[in-house]
PDB file of all heavy atoms in Angstrom:
ATOM      1  N   VAL A 239     -22.439 -38.315-142.719  1.00 97.00           N
ATOM      2  CA  VAL A 239     -23.738 -38.766-143.212  1.00 97.00           C
ATOM      3  C   VAL A 239     -24.640 -39.056-142.010  1.00 97.00           C
ATOM      4  O   VAL A 239     -24.230 -39.740-141.077  1.00 97.00           O
ATOM      5  CB  VAL A 239     -23.611 -40.038-144.071  1.00 97.00           C
ATOM      6  CG1 VAL A 239     -24.968 -40.683-144.272  1.00 97.00           C
ATOM      7  CG2 VAL A 239     -23.003 -39.705-145.427  1.00 97.00           C
ATOM      8  N   ALA A 240     -25.826 -38.478-142.041  1.00 98.00           N
ATOM      9  CA  ALA A 240     -26.827 -38.760-141.011  1.00 98.00           C
ATOM     10  C   ALA A 240     -27.978 -39.512-141.664  1.00 98.00           C
ATOM     11  O   ALA A 240     -28.323 -39.250-142.812  1.00 98.00           O
ATOM     12  CB  ALA A 240     -27.336 -37.473-140.385  1.00 98.00           C
ATOM     13  N   VAL A 241     -28.544 -40.447-140.923  1.00 98.00           N
ATOM     14  CA  VAL A 241     -29.647 -41.217-141.485  1.00 98.00           C
ATOM     15  C   VAL A 241     -30.913 -41.039-140.659  1.00 98.00           C
ATOM     16  O   VAL A 241     -30.872 -41.004-139.427  1.00 98.00           O
ATOM     17  CB  VAL A 241     -29.280 -42.724-141.588  1.00 98.00           C
ATOM     18  CG1 VAL A 241     -29.131 -43.345-140.201  1.00 98.00           C
ATOM     19  CG2 VAL A 241     -30.337 -43.469-142.412  1.00 98.00           C
ATOM     20  N   VAL A 242     -32.012 -40.843-141.362  1.00 98.00           N
ATOM     21  CA  VAL A 242     -33.318 -40.761-140.717  1.00 98.00           C
ATOM     22  C   VAL A 242     -34.010 -42.100-140.905  1.00 98.00           C
ATOM     23  O   VAL A 242     -34.404 -42.453-142.020  1.00 98.00           O
ATOM     24  CB  VAL A 242     -34.166 -39.620-141.311  1.00 98.00           C
ATOM     25  CG1 VAL A 242     -35.563 -39.622-140.697  1.00 98.00           C
ATOM     26  CG2 VAL A 242     -33.472 -38.284-141.100  1.00 98.00           C
ATOM     27  N   LEU A 243     -34.106 -42.851-139.820  1.00 98.00           N
ATOM     28  CA  LEU A 243     -34.745 -44.164-139.851  1.00 98.00           C
ATOM     29  C   LEU A 243     -36.088 -44.068-139.152  1.00 98.00           C
ATOM     30  O   LEU A 243     -36.180 -43.583-138.025  1.00 98.00           O
ATOM     31  CB  LEU A 243     -33.856 -45.192-139.126  1.00 98.00           C
ATOM     32  CG  LEU A 243     -32.471 -45.410-139.745  1.00 98.00           C
ATOM     33  CD1 LEU A 243     -31.591 -46.222-138.803  1.00 98.00           C
ATOM     34  CD2 LEU A 243     -32.590 -46.098-141.094  1.00 98.00           C
ATOM     35  N   ARG A 244     -37.137 -44.516-139.858  1.00 97.00           N
ATOM     36  CA  ARG A 244     -38.484 -44.428-139.293  1.00 97.00           C
ATOM     37  C   ARG A 244     -39.033 -45.814-138.997  1.00 97.00           C
ATOM     38  O   ARG A 244     -38.710 -46.785-139.681  1.00 97.00           O
ATOM     39  CB  ARG A 244     -39.426 -43.734-140.276  1.00 97.00           C
ATOM     40  CG  ARG A 244     -39.030 -42.318-140.631  1.00 97.00           C
ATOM     41  CD  ARG A 244     -39.906 -41.809-141.752  1.00 97.00           C
ATOM     42  NE  ARG A 244     -39.493 -40.516-142.254  1.00 97.00           N
ATOM     43  CZ  ARG A 244     -39.840 -39.359-141.696  1.00 97.00           C
ATOM     44  NH1 ARG A 244     -40.605 -39.354-140.619  1.00 97.00           N
ATOM     45  NH2 ARG A 244     -39.435 -38.210-142.205  1.00 97.00           N
ATOM     46  N   ARG A 245     -39.839 -45.858-137.960  1.00 95.00           N
ATOM     47  CA  ARG A 245     -40.575 -47.081-137.622  1.00 95.00           C
ATOM     48  C   ARG A 245     -41.912 -46.619-137.097  1.00 95.00           C
ATOM     49  O   ARG A 245     -41.999 -46.013-136.042  1.00 95.00           O
ATOM     50  CB  ARG A 245     -39.803 -47.900-136.578  1.00 95.00           C
ATOM     51  CG  ARG A 245     -40.487 -49.179-136.182  1.00 95.00           C
ATOM     52  CD  ARG A 245     -39.525 -50.067-135.394  1.00 95.00           C
ATOM     53  NE  ARG A 245     -38.492 -50.642-136.256  1.00 95.00           N
ATOM     54  CZ  ARG A 245     -37.556 -51.498-135.838  1.00 95.00           C
ATOM     55  NH1 ARG A 245     -37.518 -51.854-134.567  1.00 95.00           N
ATOM     56  NH2 ARG A 245     -36.669 -51.988-136.670  1.00 95.00           N
ATOM     57  N   ASN A 246     -42.948 -46.830-137.888  1.00 91.00           N
ATOM     58  CA  ASN A 246     -44.269 -46.267-137.579  1.00 91.00           C
ATOM     59  C   ASN A 246     -44.160 -44.747-137.461  1.00 91.00           C
ATOM     60  O   ASN A 246     -43.694 -44.109-138.381  1.00 91.00           O
ATOM     61  CB  ASN A 246     -44.847 -46.892-136.303  1.00 91.00           C
ATOM     62  CG  ASN A 246     -45.015 -48.408-136.475  1.00 91.00           C
ATOM     63  OD1 ASN A 246     -45.372 -48.869-137.557  1.00 91.00           O
ATOM     64  ND2 ASN A 246     -44.730 -49.157-135.425  1.00 91.00           N
ATOM     65  N   THR A 247     -44.529 -44.217-136.304  1.00 91.00           N
ATOM     66  CA  THR A 247     -44.449 -42.763-136.154  1.00 91.00           C
ATOM     67  C   THR A 247     -43.213 -42.342-135.375  1.00 91.00           C
ATOM     68  O   THR A 247     -43.127 -41.217-134.908  1.00 91.00           O
ATOM     69  CB  THR A 247     -45.700 -42.231-135.421  1.00 91.00           C
ATOM     70  OG1 THR A 247     -45.788 -42.864-134.141  1.00 91.00           O
ATOM     71  CG2 THR A 247     -46.948 -42.512-136.236  1.00 91.00           C
ATOM     72  N   SER A 248     -42.256 -43.269-135.249  1.00 96.00           N
ATOM     73  CA  SER A 248     -41.053 -42.953-134.489  1.00 96.00           C
ATOM     74  C   SER A 248     -39.835 -42.800-135.397  1.00 96.00           C
ATOM     75  O   SER A 248     -39.811 -43.288-136.523  1.00 96.00           O
ATOM     76  CB  SER A 248     -40.779 -44.045-133.454  1.00 96.00           C
ATOM     77  OG  SER A 248     -41.788 -44.053-132.466  1.00 96.00           O
ATOM     78  N   VAL A 249     -38.827 -42.130-134.868  1.00 98.00           N
ATOM     79  CA  VAL A 249     -37.573 -41.915-135.573  1.00 98.00           C
ATOM     80  C   VAL A 249     -36.436 -42.328-134.644  1.00 98.00           C
ATOM     81  O   VAL A 249     -36.509 -42.120-133.428  1.00 98.00           O
ATOM     82  CB  VAL A 249     -37.398 -40.429-135.971  1.00 98.00           C
ATOM     83  CG1 VAL A 249     -36.191 -40.255-136.882  1.00 98.00           C
ATOM     84  CG2 VAL A 249     -38.657 -39.909-136.635  1.00 98.00           C
ATOM     85  N   LEU A 250     -35.379 -42.883-135.213  1.00 98.00           N
ATOM     86  CA  LEU A 250     -34.268 -43.322-134.376  1.00 98.00           C
ATOM     87  C   LEU A 250     -33.347 -42.146-134.072  1.00 98.00           C
ATOM     88  O   LEU A 250     -32.873 -41.454-134.981  1.00 98.00           O
ATOM     89  CB  LEU A 250     -33.481 -44.428-135.083  1.00 98.00           C
ATOM     90  CG  LEU A 250     -32.487 -45.183-134.193  1.00 98.00           C
ATOM     91  CD1 LEU A 250     -33.211 -45.981-133.116  1.00 98.00           C
ATOM     92  CD2 LEU A 250     -31.584 -46.106-135.020  1.00 98.00           C
ATOM     93  N   VAL A 251     -33.103 -41.927-132.775  1.00 98.00           N
ATOM     94  CA  VAL A 251     -32.192 -40.865-132.347  1.00 98.00           C
ATOM     95  C   VAL A 251     -31.192 -41.431-131.345  1.00 98.00           C
ATOM     96  O   VAL A 251     -31.469 -42.420-130.656  1.00 98.00           O
ATOM     97  CB  VAL A 251     -32.947 -39.681-131.708  1.00 98.00           C
ATOM     98  CG1 VAL A 251     -33.761 -38.945-132.769  1.00 98.00           C
ATOM     99  CG2 VAL A 251     -33.839 -40.150-130.571  1.00 98.00           C
ATOM    100  N   ALA A 252     -30.032 -40.797-131.268  1.00 98.00           N
ATOM    101  CA  ALA A 252     -28.961 -41.287-130.416  1.00 98.00           C
ATOM    102  C   ALA A 252     -28.343 -40.129-129.632  1.00 98.00           C
ATOM    103  O   ALA A 252     -28.361 -38.984-130.080  1.00 98.00           O
ATOM    104  CB  ALA A 252     -27.880 -41.968-131.261  1.00 98.00           C
TER     105      ALA A 252
END
Side-chain angles (χ1 to χ4, degrees):
Chain A
V239 166
V241 67
V242 176
L243 298 169
R244 299 172 187 276
R245 180 167 288 183
N246 299 323
T247 59
S248 293
V249 188
L250 193 66
V251 291

